[in-house]
Amino acid sequence: MSLSEKELLAIKPDHIVDAIGEVCPHTLNLALDGLKKAKSGEIVVEITDHSIATKTIPAAVKMNKIGEFLGVAKKGGEYHIFVKKA
């Protein structure tokens, strides 16, 4: 699924993971913890200022088959990474 930034930012997430100021691998670990807490079908969004997380989180989600990467929206200097739990 590929959504525009506007569509992504209109989504009301079930879980928000604050990873501002964190760097990899901690940003990935926080995202995975958020997904573990989520129920199937729920939306988790990680908010980070670490651009590398926009690559590592989608890759880990796909590799581990734990959800569906919906996209990344950039708002100001922050990246909002959206994942729907499988």
Side-chain angles (χ1 to χ4, degrees):
M1 176 183 286
S2 182
L3 300 173
S4 70
E5 282 191 351
K6 185 177 179 180
E7 291 170 317
L8 288 169
L9 292 172
I11 293 173
K12 185 175 188 271
D14 299 291
H15 303 274
I16 298 173
V17 177
D18 181 358
I20 300 295
E22 303 293 342
V23 296
C24 287
H26 197 57
T27 53
L28 176 58
N29 293 335
L30 289 170
L32 295 176
D33 287 346
L35 283 164
K36 284 180 189 172
K37 294 175 186 173
K39 296 177 185 166
S40 181
E42 290 187 332
I43 305 290
V44 176
V45 62
E46 176 166 298
I47 302 171
T48 182
D49 54 356
H50 187 59
S51 65
I52 303 300
T54 65
K55 304 292 185 216
T56 58
I57 292 170
V61 166
K62 182 178 180 180
M63 183 176 70
N64 293 301
K65 299 178 183 168
I66 54 176
E68 177 184 4
F69 171 65
L70 301 178
V72 177
K74 189 169 182 187
K75 188 175 179 183
E78 300 171 352
Y79 301 93
H80 296 237
I81 304 166
F82 290 80
V83 178
K84 182 176 182 179
K85 183 163 182 179

